[in-house]
Amino acid sequence: MIPLDEIHILQLGEKDWNDLYTLPETVYLDHIDIFSKTALKSYDLFFLDRTPLEEEINPLYEAVKAYTLFVTERVNVSGKVAWLCKCKKAQKIEGDDIQRFLWNETRYYYPKPYGDKFSLRDLAVAQGFSGKVKWDGNYSATLEGEFGDDFRQVAFWRYNSFLEQGQLVDLWLEYWKEPKVSLSLVITQFAYGSVDHILQQWYFDENELQQIMQIEGQRGNGSMFASLHARGNGKLKIVALHKRISRGNHGFFLPGGERYVTTRREEAFCYFDPGDLKPPLNVYFSGYKTKQGFEGYNLMRSKGCPFLLIAEARLMGGCLYVGTKEYEKMIVSIIRKYMEELGFASDQVILSGISGGTYGALYYGCDIRPHAMILGKPVPNLGNVAANEKHIRPGGLPATLDMLMYLCGAIDECAIKRLNDKFWNRFDSVDWGRSKFIISYMLEDDYDPDGYDNLISHLWSSGVQVYGKGIHGRHNDNTPAIVNWLSSQFDRILYDDFERRIKNK
């Protein structure tokens, strides 16, 4: 885990809260009488303790991040102030709750989110288990047999994770088991530099495993050791143990970030920023990444529009948003939820992503049928991407083989074709006549060399528009050029189709 960050607060009001309240050591509060964006640094929290002047509204809109604005009873929430509060998802805070919030809650507004998982490669089966063990690539390990009448260790992760004093961590265990197997998770924190001095220990039974589990380093710095205990008999599939620096009740990864989970314990995350509440809604799918969290925040926020970030954390770095019917229905419902909140139609939505994110944008574009899709390094032939791991890109991204196995149950030629067909059968069933495809691609792409050409050949709807730009290099050779072109195309679409002025242009 990463160390605790300093948290910086800006307070606008007549009285300086530094003179009225006590702050934690890592929290710093700057008080100002008049708000101006000049000489303004980045703040993690904003408190309004008086009604902003009209000339302060726009600078506040530019500076404040969604879900980080709090207003006291001294603020008259009407007119433009009401608009600001709606745009920033502001929250009211009562005067008698300010001290408690400053002392207990500000710590969850740290600036640098972090999440990952204990690697399946580091999972070890306990010596006392004598049943069958089956490894499914880097996806899961299945234990089958007798676990005994009492709880005992059946598996553990070889390498520990650091837990700092005062740090709160969210844990989520992905697993599947037969009814006769009972499971528990044990986390042990050892003192820094020690192998036997236990600082803290946490036991989570099956009821507690149904919710996010939280542990806090209350007794000093140290490493945490994760161990699974079981009893009964049957099958136990261990998929992943996720760990993330917690935001308490204030979101996931970012303040306001949301978490969704299926009956198979598979997660999806989203972050919605209302922007200025005017079309379009820009939806950005994060690409493949082993560090968990959202991608594209700064890019999307810079456009000033409402935006929705979508991310996931299955397999080693994501499974590109496809899977069970329940999972796929969940992704569609997330997008439609915020379209409805804004009152936007499909032609007021733009879907986007880079690399693995393009698969999500294209796949769910079939449901949303957006005004435009802005894509960088598209990979529509996911089956081919996995197949190219053998000859074209050996060792480049073996996780694609896990995706193929997970989605199709095999990694042979038939499975490759089925996975490709899963996309194209869906894509070809849609009339794209009212959509724009804006695509930058790598001319020597070693993931999906035919991706761009295949998209062009399958876009036979009357009226569809396609803008393409090829850049020399393999898939990961020049991502900055892809990002720059993608950003410029966003600007063009926003100006031409939605009459939006682009900042700094």
Side-chain angles (χ1 to χ4, degrees):
M1 307 300 290
I2 62 176
L4 297 170
D5 292 319
E6 293 181 352
I7 291 143
H8 295 272
I9 301 173
L10 185 68
Q11 178 234 335
L12 175 63
E14 296 177 0
K15 297 181 180 180
D16 187 345
W17 285 6
N18 287 295
D19 300 328
L20 301 176
Y21 304 109
T22 304
L23 299 172
E25 289 184 4
T26 58
V27 176
Y28 301 88
L29 184 145
D30 292 340
H31 166 260
I32 56 173
D33 298 315
I34 301 295
F35 185 85
S36 172
K37 63 182 178 180
T38 59
L40 181 67
K41 62 184 180 183
S42 178
Y43 288 94
D44 306 301
L45 277 167
F46 290 79
F47 288 91
L48 297 184
D49 197 30
R50 68 159 173 79
T51 303
L53 304 174
E54 183 173 351
E55 58 268 25
E56 293 176 315
I57 298 295
N58 287 336
L60 278 168
Y61 173 82
E62 295 292 334
V64 174
K65 298 177 181 178
Y67 308 97
T68 67
L69 179 64
F70 290 80
V71 298
T72 71
E73 66 272 11
R74 293 185 176 88
V75 178
N76 179 16
V77 182
S78 62
K80 286 190 175 181
V81 177
W83 171 82
L84 175 68
C85 290
K86 187 174 182 180
C87 291
K88 299 304 176 182
K89 293 281 186 177
Q91 304 170 64
K92 290 185 178 181
I93 186 166
E94 301 296 332
D96 56 3
D97 194 41
I98 293 174
Q99 178 61 80
R100 183 203 64 82
F101 186 92
L102 291 173
W103 191 258
N104 296 325
E105 304 298 320
T106 53
R107 67 188 220 170
Y108 299 119
Y109 288 82
Y110 54 86
K112 298 177 183 177
Y114 184 85
D116 61 15
K117 66 178 74 173
F118 286 87
S119 175
L120 190 72
R121 297 174 182 176
D122 300 329
L123 185 72
V125 178
Q127 291 184 354
F129 179 70
S130 58
K132 298 179 181 178
V133 180
K134 178 185 177 183
W135 296 89
D136 185 4
N138 290 299
Y139 171 62
S140 68
T142 302
L143 282 59
E144 181 179 5
E146 294 287 339
F147 297 104
D149 296 329
D150 299 319
F151 277 108
R152 63 178 181 177
Q153 186 188 68
V154 294
F156 61 91
W157 282 267
R158 294 187 183 92
Y159 299 105
N160 299 342
S161 181
F162 191 72
L163 179 64
E164 188 172 349
Q165 170 75 35
Q167 196 168 60
L168 187 70
V169 173
D170 290 342
L171 298 174
W172 176 249
L173 181 66
E174 275 190 81
Y175 70 91
W176 174 88
K177 68 177 186 62
E178 291 183 334
K180 291 184 179 180
V181 178
S182 297
L183 184 66
S184 66
L185 173 67
V186 180
I187 304 293
T188 305
Q189 185 191 19
F190 293 96
Y192 182 72
S194 172
V195 296
D196 58 0
H197 180 195
I198 296 177
L199 294 178
Q200 294 174 268
Q201 197 164 48
W202 299 267
Y203 297 86
F204 300 101
D205 61 24
E206 275 192 38
N207 289 330
E208 292 168 310
L209 291 177
Q210 305 315 306
Q211 304 295 328
I212 289 288
M213 300 160 284
Q214 293 185 336
I215 61 174
E216 183 176 4
Q218 295 180 329
R219 300 179 184 173
N221 299 333
S223 57
M224 56 181 179
F225 170 73
S227 175
L228 289 174
H229 294 214
R231 69 181 181 189
N233 64 85
K235 290 184 179 180
L236 167 63
K237 176 181 284 190
I238 305 166
V239 179
L241 177 59
H242 303 267
K243 58 184 189 295
R244 300 142 187 163
I245 300 181
S246 180
R247 291 201 182 271
N249 297 320
H250 303 281
F252 294 90
F253 298 119
L254 295 173
E258 296 181 57
R259 172 181 177 267
Y260 297 81
V261 62
T262 69
T263 55
R264 289 181 54 170
R265 305 179 67 84
E266 295 182 325
E267 300 171 297
F269 299 88
C270 79
Y271 173 85
F272 171 65
D273 187 319
D276 60 4
L277 306 174
K278 299 177 182 178
L281 169 64
N282 293 329
V283 182
Y284 186 94
F285 289 83
S286 298
Y288 175 90
K289 55 189 298 182
T290 53
K291 177 184 174 183
Q292 298 179 10
F294 298 108
E295 181 181 297
Y297 175 84
N298 291 329
L299 174 65
M300 292 295 101
R301 186 167 182 255
S302 70
K303 305 306 175 187
C305 310
F307 67 89
L308 177 66
L309 307 179
I310 300 178
E312 64 139 310
R314 296 174 298 162
L315 304 184
M316 285 186 67
C319 196
L320 307 195
Y321 308 96
V322 291
T324 64
K325 290 182 179 179
E326 180 188 9
Y327 194 88
E328 294 181 6
K329 184 178 179 180
M330 184 170 68
I331 299 296
V332 175
S333 68
I334 290 172
I335 301 172
R336 293 201 183 280
K337 171 185 175 181
Y338 289 106
M339 289 174 61
E340 292 175 6
E341 179 173 323
L342 293 163
F344 290 0
S346 294
D347 62 358
Q348 295 172 309
V349 176
I350 296 174
L351 301 185
S352 62
I354 295 175
S355 189
T358 66
Y359 197 89
L362 288 163
Y363 194 84
Y364 294 103
C366 299
D367 296 287
I368 304 301
R369 303 189 185 188
H371 171 74
M373 281 189 273
I374 303 179
L375 312 169
K377 301 188 292 188
V379 287
N381 299 296
L382 188 53
N384 291 353
V385 177
N388 289 337
E389 185 67 20
K390 183 175 182 180
H391 297 297
I392 298 179
R393 194 190 63 249
L397 190 62
T400 54
L401 298 172
D402 289 317
M403 295 181 201
L404 180 61
M405 187 69 178
Y406 172 78
L407 294 170
C408 296
I411 55 173
D412 56 16
E413 292 294 331
C414 290
I416 292 168
K417 185 178 185 303
R418 285 203 309 275
L419 187 51
N420 289 337
D421 290 346
K422 175 182 174 68
F423 175 85
W424 291 116
N425 291 339
R426 181 181 175 91
F427 190 83
D428 290 343
S429 67
V430 176
D431 180 359
W432 295 108
R434 293 181 296 173
S435 296
K436 296 182 179 182
F437 288 77
I438 302 164
I439 307 169
S440 57
Y441 61 99
M442 305 305 294
L443 292 167
E444 292 81 29
D445 198 299
D446 53 341
Y447 279 56
D448 191 355
D450 301 317
Y452 176 75
D453 290 338
N454 289 160
L455 282 170
I456 298 301
S457 66
H458 282 260
L459 286 171
W460 48 64
S461 301
S462 176
V464 65
Q465 299 180 48
V466 181
Y467 304 82
K469 178 179 176 64
I471 298 171
H472 278 291
R474 297 164 298 180
H475 191 79
N476 290 320
D477 279 347
N478 199 349
T479 299
I482 295 287
V483 173
N484 290 337
W485 194 79
L486 182 142
S487 179
S488 69
Q489 295 308 300
F490 257 111
D491 293 345
R492 183 179 63 81
I493 289 292
L494 295 178
Y495 183 82
D496 291 346
D497 298 354
F498 295 95
E499 300 181 346
R500 280 181 167 271
R501 289 188 175 184
I502 307 304
K503 300 175 187 177
N504 301 322
K505 295 290 183 181

